[in-house]
Amino acid sequence: MDICREQGIKVVGIANHGNVDEIDAIRKLLSGGDIVVFPGFEIESSEKIHFVCLFPEDTLTSTLNVYLGGCGIEPTHGTQPSSKGANEILDYLSGKGGVLYAAHCTQTNGILSGTNRYNHIWKNPNLVATQIPGAIEDLKGATEGDKFYQIVTNRNPDYKRKHPIAVLNAKDVEQPETLCEPIASCLIKMTIPCFDSFKQAFYDPESRVRLNSDRTKQWYSVIEKIAITGGYLNGLSIELSEHLNAIIGGRGAGKSTLIECLRYALGLEPLASDAKKAFESIIRENLGKEKGRIEVSIRSAAMQGRRFLISRRHGELPIVKDETGTISSFSPRDLFPGVEIYGQNEIYEIAQKSSEQHKLLARFLREESKSATDQRLEELTLALGQNREQISSALDELEDAEQEVMRLPKLQEQVRQFSELKLEEKLKGVQLWEKEKQLGQCALKELTAYGKALSSLKDALPDPAFMDDDAKDSLPHNAQLRELHKLIQDFVISASGQIVIMDNGLHEVETAATQINDRMLGLIDEEETELAKAFKDIPDFQGRTGRDIGQRFKELLQEIARIHPQEAVLTSKRTQIEELRKQRNKILAELAKVRSERTQVDARSVKRLNRKLEGNMKISLNTETNRQPLTEMLRSFEMEGVGPARLGWIDSADSNTFSPTSLAAKIREGLEPLKSMNWGITDLVATALCGLSPNQVMQIEEVAFLNAPTIELNVAQKDGEEAYREIEHLSKGQQCTAILHLLLLSNEDPLIVDQPEDNLDNAFIASRIVKQLRNEKIMRQFFFATHNANIPVFGDAEWIGVFVSGDDNATIPPELQGAIDVPAIKEKASEILEGGPEAFEQRKLKYGYGEFHTAY
């Protein structure tokens, strides 16, 4: 009993060989420890095949002896083979309510051992399970042609069963310690451990019976509990499974309200405008009037499995608390970075827009192969944008300098016109004074720049506080850390002293320099005043006074003195632009290389993705065929006379010669070289392109054509030959099916969908979606609101919640939460999803399916 508790074993089957004498003593002990016991026995058929048969927990040992007798076994001769054949035993004991499995099927006296062919026994529907000695994968290579593996996985045509057989690990337990071995037990899903649930598990063994070796080692996020206070769902409290969850109920019962409240609590909003309006309306109507509050308890994979409580009151932001109740700085998105929530018809909206499909697919490709190339692409793209801004700035400065320098000849010509007035001698100091003013101003600017650098140096000094005593004293090598702390502390004290000295020195120099410059400006001002007085001695000329003539001549000389340094700026800017363009070409070349690497990574990702989607979908990568980014950029330039219709040539231009960089190069060469390219550009568009600014041309060469994946869905029937069709040529239901296949792919965070069956073909739900769900749910949490029986019933949801609604309130009572093996859940599921037993029976008869075998 102690070891069962330690190992988490909650159900034990007792089956000695042809004898039930020990059952009551063990049953009494284990039942007292809340461990359910299924009594039974092991029996050997006349073919010498061993079977284990288990019965309900309240079956008396006297009844078991009767069953043994019915199989031709006397209790005193229990180890002897029965006189009855295997099929006779299987049918008899199954009719008595027993569950039978083939013991040690690959070993001595197992149904698959030796050279005998017992396929007729193997295919008996009353044989619901088989015991193997380890993992299913271990059967590979155990026999020639992988016979055991092929049979157990229902691939051998001679042994193929209508319904798959359950595979168990149930090693004989001769002593309690054997229970610690992984192959001594297995996992059988039961909402409440009891024989009815145990028996039902074998109706759907692929979902409900697993080996310990099947357990996933992967952390994934889970919504554990949802509670709502106030509003239409006031009082609702549910605890979810970490696998597949489904909420059911009549229309208007509150399913969509719960999904949207969960989205609200997590701080998420729909992307599509219609879905956003519906979301806001639901939240306003169901939470807003009473200022309702939602609490969501989660376990986060992004935070290594730590638990958090997210709460949100209507009109307020979400609040996150950790396990200690302390408010956390993390947002819900930090905890659930990959969570996906889709309301009614949102999947349909994605299916209608190729841009949304490509975004969705791009996300999966990136998740499949997160590579260093992504970071390098970001770095190069950022560097290219910065380079463009630097070139644009330098070109603007060059243009300003050129315009200034272009004025010099005219200014100098005007100066020569004044030469006959012989004013040069009187005004010779003007240009010198202007030069002195510029030098004085430059000196003060240099000191100001030094002051800014000194301030930055202060900010950059190390902060010893990060090694405070409390932090380091508890560490094993605190002596060395204290020594390191003192070393940094001493350096900071010394450096701070030096900075103070430099700061004081700068202040003294700035004060003195300002005083000297002010004195110089004062002297210049005095001399300019004297010069202005001398202007009255200049004779009037052509209607202008001498004073006006002198002032104008002075202004000309000052302007010339100011512009002359711009000639040096021209040379400097041209050199700078040339160097920046070299850098740009280097970045562009590196970017082209990394984009090529990224494409190769995406191609490998597509192959991996296709392996995951095998049989359902197929993705193909059309390298750099999506030219929409260039079209959108040219449209944003709003070129006169160039509307969207005039940009159609972009998609049809020859891919061998056309690219954003080649287009930019031809624009720079000019109109005729651009028109000469066989790209289908009209004269009007070519003229408009050549009129773009250098900055816009650089933006063009930064554009990247996108890879354009093609999404194809296998539209063949269940057993038909694969037939793939592109998503654009599918029906609405098939398009939604294709999108849902992608959404169901592995993700650490939950997928929550409101009525995914909307717009889907029922055949695809049953044969494709449910199959994928059953495979993925052991590695990811799913939460669906649905009206379709396929998802909760055939998907075998671990948790089903049934909404009960009144006039002004809806909730999910505790007794209506559980799996399909809970009688109340089964009844409600039949009523809501099938229309009740009578409707189900009527459909079954009309379809001509007749009666099902009692074991199924």
Side-chain angles (χ1 to χ4, degrees), residues 256-411:
S256 297
T257 301
L258 176 56
I259 296 293
E260 297 303 345
C261 284
L262 181 56
R263 190 197 313 248
Y264 184 71
L266 297 178
L268 304 174
E269 287 189 355
L271 297 178
S273 56
D274 289 346
K276 189 172 182 179
K277 289 177 183 176
F279 163 70
E280 291 172 347
S281 174
I282 288 174
I283 296 302
R284 183 173 58 252
E285 291 300 316
N286 292 280
L287 288 179
K289 294 178 180 178
E290 298 181 21
K291 289 294 179 183
R293 184 171 182 271
I294 309 105
E295 283 190 352
V296 183
S297 302
I298 71 164
R299 188 181 73 211
S300 168
M303 300 299 162
Q304 296 73 49
R306 289 169 56 200
R307 286 180 165 84
F308 296 86
L309 176 67
I310 301 170
S311 61
R312 188 175 189 185
R313 187 168 179 262
H314 184 266
E316 299 176 1
L317 294 175
I319 297 173
V320 177
K321 293 182 180 179
D322 63 20
E323 291 174 281
T324 67
T326 304
I327 293 179
S328 171
S329 59
F330 293 126
S331 69
R333 176 59 80 180
D334 295 328
L335 307 179
F336 274 0
V339 68
E340 295 176 300
I341 302 182
Y342 296 92
Q344 282 184 268
N345 296 315
E346 275 190 81
I347 292 176
Y348 174 69
E349 289 186 47
I350 293 174
Q352 298 308 296
K353 298 178 181 178
S354 59
S355 58
E356 294 300 320
Q357 296 165 21
H358 293 155
K359 285 179 188 176
L360 179 65
L361 190 56
R363 176 169 65 78
F364 283 105
L365 293 181
R366 291 296 180 265
E367 287 177 358
E368 278 287 301
S369 57
K370 292 177 180 176
S371 168
T373 53
D374 292 317
Q375 183 178 353
R376 187 61 182 144
L377 274 174
E378 291 178 9
E379 293 171 353
L380 290 170
T381 303
L382 179 62
L384 201 60
Q386 292 172 340
N387 172 274
R388 168 167 41 86
E389 294 306 319
Q390 289 171 334
I391 290 177
S392 296
S393 177
L395 285 172
D396 289 342
E397 292 172 9
L398 177 65
E399 184 179 1
D400 291 342
E402 285 176 337
Q403 289 177 353
E404 290 279 86
V405 171
M406 285 174 61
R407 295 176 58 214
L408 272 178
K410 292 183 178 180
L411 293 173

Side-chain angles (χ1 to χ4, degrees), residues 398-433:
L398 177 65
E399 184 179 1
D400 291 342
E402 285 176 337
Q403 289 177 353
E404 290 279 86
V405 171
M406 285 174 61
R407 295 176 58 214
L408 272 178
K410 292 183 178 180
L411 293 173
Q412 289 168 340
E413 177 65 24
Q414 291 180 51
V415 167
R416 284 194 292 273
Q417 291 176 2
F418 283 94
S419 61
E420 61 187 60
L421 300 176
K422 303 188 184 301
L423 298 177
E424 290 90 338
E425 186 62 29
K426 292 183 179 181
L427 298 175
K428 65 180 179 181
V430 170
Q431 289 176 304
L432 302 178
W433 297 334

